[in-house]
Amino acid sequence: MLATARSTAYIKIAEGCDHPCGFCIIPQLRGKFRSRRFESVVAEAERLAHSGVREITLIGQDTTCYGEDFALKDGLALLLEKLATIEQLRWVRFLYAYPNKITNRLLETIAANEKICSYLDVPLQHASAATLKRMKRGGSADIFLRTIEKARRTIPGLTLRTSFIVGFPGETEKEFEELCEFVKAAEFDWMGSFAYSDQEGATAYALEDKLPFLEIERRRKHLMQIQRQISKRKKKALHGKQFDVLMEGASEESDLLLEGRTAMHAPEIDGKLYIADVPENLEPVTGEFYRCQITETHDYDLVAKII
């Protein structure tokens, strides 16, 4: 059963997770990481493509680990390469990449294949090495910046998405400032920020030095205000540029607007692209692609016309 619009579909390529993140209970709920068989994923993608799906989004708790339990090296890159050969598909993307699992082969595969969207979703969770250590994740702002620089150098026009948890137990003002400075330096295209909340069963539940809710919310809003300015500037730079847009139909905002997505927009999670101008005698069809030009930009959303 296809629960999404006819032109787009998700395929889960793995279940469970082996990472011990202190804020998460997915390993307890869903068990150890295990990949879906390569042939099974390809077969489903081919079936969906033959039924009219034009965009496939691969999902899993950590898609970048795909195939490791089969002793498959660079399994995600191999899978993406195979899916890119399916003639009817127009876009292939994947979500949720663990930062230290982004290999050179994966980046080069994205760069080399036109059908693989130049899009990376890497939930970094924080940038302070001290906070990341308490989260049981590892990494630091410097390490992440080097990874981002390499990704952008390898993939021209890369769209980069991330998310952060603000107010993790013990997060000092200095650690939060490290996160803010990192966000300014990284200049993400899309970013989400979540207020830490206790989750019974997660190791962070037992940690001391919990922050008051109002302080966590203050920090979250401050971080999003930084990102808002970055997003506004990056969206403004798109004014006048042309993109292929997947038509999604009438907008919920107004009967006078249509909505669509570029390859920069993952389904359901990124900003909106509104289509306000359609050529005479053209009746746009949901699920078809149209060449559009950006005519107006906002903090997170875009307005375009079909050309």
Side-chain angles (χ1 to χ4, degrees):
M1 295 290 290
L2 189 61
T4 51
R6 181 173 173 271
S7 56
T8 186
Y10 296 99
I11 298 180
K12 179 175 274 194
I13 64 170
E15 185 60 275
C17 185
D18 292 340
H19 299 298
C21 304
F23 48 80
C24 183
I25 61 169
I26 283 175
Q28 293 100 297
L29 294 177
R30 301 184 180 177
K32 287 188 169 294
F33 179 87
R34 52 207 184 276
S35 303
R36 183 174 171 183
R37 291 288 172 183
F38 193 98
E39 297 79 9
S40 173
V41 177
V42 174
E44 181 173 0
E46 289 175 341
R47 178 180 62 78
L48 289 167
H50 290 149
S51 73
V53 167
R54 295 293 170 260
E55 175 190 35
I56 293 288
T57 302
L58 306 178
I59 56 172
Q61 273 70 52
D62 178 6
T63 52
T64 40
C65 281
Y66 178 76
E68 287 184 359
D69 46 338
F70 301 154
L72 190 63
K73 184 173 171 57
D74 283 307
L76 179 59
L78 293 171
L79 181 60
L80 290 168
E81 284 180 343
K82 180 64 176 178
L83 297 181
T85 66
I86 300 175
E87 185 178 350
Q88 297 93 333
L89 289 181
R90 181 76 172 266
W91 289 344
V92 180
R93 73 173 82 235
F94 64 96
L95 298 180
Y96 320 127
Y98 206 75
N100 64 358
K101 297 285 186 176
I102 299 172
T103 64
N104 289 336
R105 172 72 184 276
L106 178 60
L107 296 176
E108 289 162 1
T109 298
I110 296 170
N113 287 273
E114 188 177 345
K115 288 187 180 180
I116 303 174
C117 296
S118 299
Y119 184 105
L120 275 179
D121 182 355
V122 191
L124 295 174
Q125 311 301 3
H126 213 279
S128 163
T131 306
L132 287 162
K133 186 176 181 180
R134 287 197 305 279
M135 287 180 167
K136 297 187 177 180
R137 282 184 67 90
S140 68
D142 287 344
I143 291 172
F144 293 159
L145 285 173
R146 287 198 294 272
T147 300
I148 290 167
E149 193 277 328
K150 180 172 71 173
R152 284 176 169 155
R153 185 176 66 247
T154 307
I155 307 171
L158 175 67
T159 298
L160 196 58
R161 178 181 179 82
T162 194
S163 56
F164 297 108
I165 296 173
V166 175
F168 191 79
E171 182 190 66
T172 64
E173 188 66 38
K174 179 177 179 294
E175 290 169 2
F176 175 65
E177 281 302 319
E178 286 182 59
L179 174 57
C180 292
E181 292 305 311
F182 171 73
V183 168
K184 292 175 186 176
E187 295 198 323
F188 296 101
D189 299 282
W190 305 110
M191 191 193 91
S193 178
F194 301 93
Y196 170 81
S197 61
D198 272 333
Q199 177 67 58
E200 196 167 354
T203 56
Y205 188 79
L207 293 178
E208 298 180 352
D209 299 324
K210 302 281 175 66
L211 277 70
F213 172 76
L214 290 178
E215 175 59 19
I216 294 175
E217 193 60 18
R218 181 194 70 79
R219 293 182 183 187
R220 189 192 68 80
K221 288 180 178 178
H222 180 67
L223 188 66
M224 288 309 300
Q225 186 57 35
I226 293 171
Q227 176 60 22
R228 178 182 289 272
Q229 296 306 313
I230 294 169
S231 179
K232 183 177 182 177
R233 185 171 67 251
K234 292 177 83 73
K235 300 298 174 285
K236 190 175 181 179
L238 299 176
H239 190 277
K241 294 191 175 181
Q242 296 181 13
F243 299 94
D244 290 336
V245 171
L246 175 60
M247 181 63 64
E248 295 193 308
S251 172
E252 294 179 357
E253 295 290 323
S254 168
D255 294 339
L256 303 176
L257 296 172
L258 298 170
E259 284 186 24
R261 287 187 294 108
T262 70
M264 302 180 294
H265 297 79
E268 303 180 285
I269 58 173
D270 293 326
K272 299 280 190 180
L273 184 139
Y274 298 105
I275 299 167
D277 193 0
V278 178
E280 283 188 47
N281 304 319
L282 175 66
E283 192 68 39
V285 178
T286 299
E288 294 294 328
F289 286 83
Y290 297 91
R291 192 68 174 173
C292 293
Q293 183 176 42
I294 306 301
T295 58
E296 194 177 315
T297 66
H298 299 275
D299 293 353
Y300 297 111
D301 299 331
L302 301 169
V303 180
K305 65 178 181 180
I306 296 178
I307 58 173

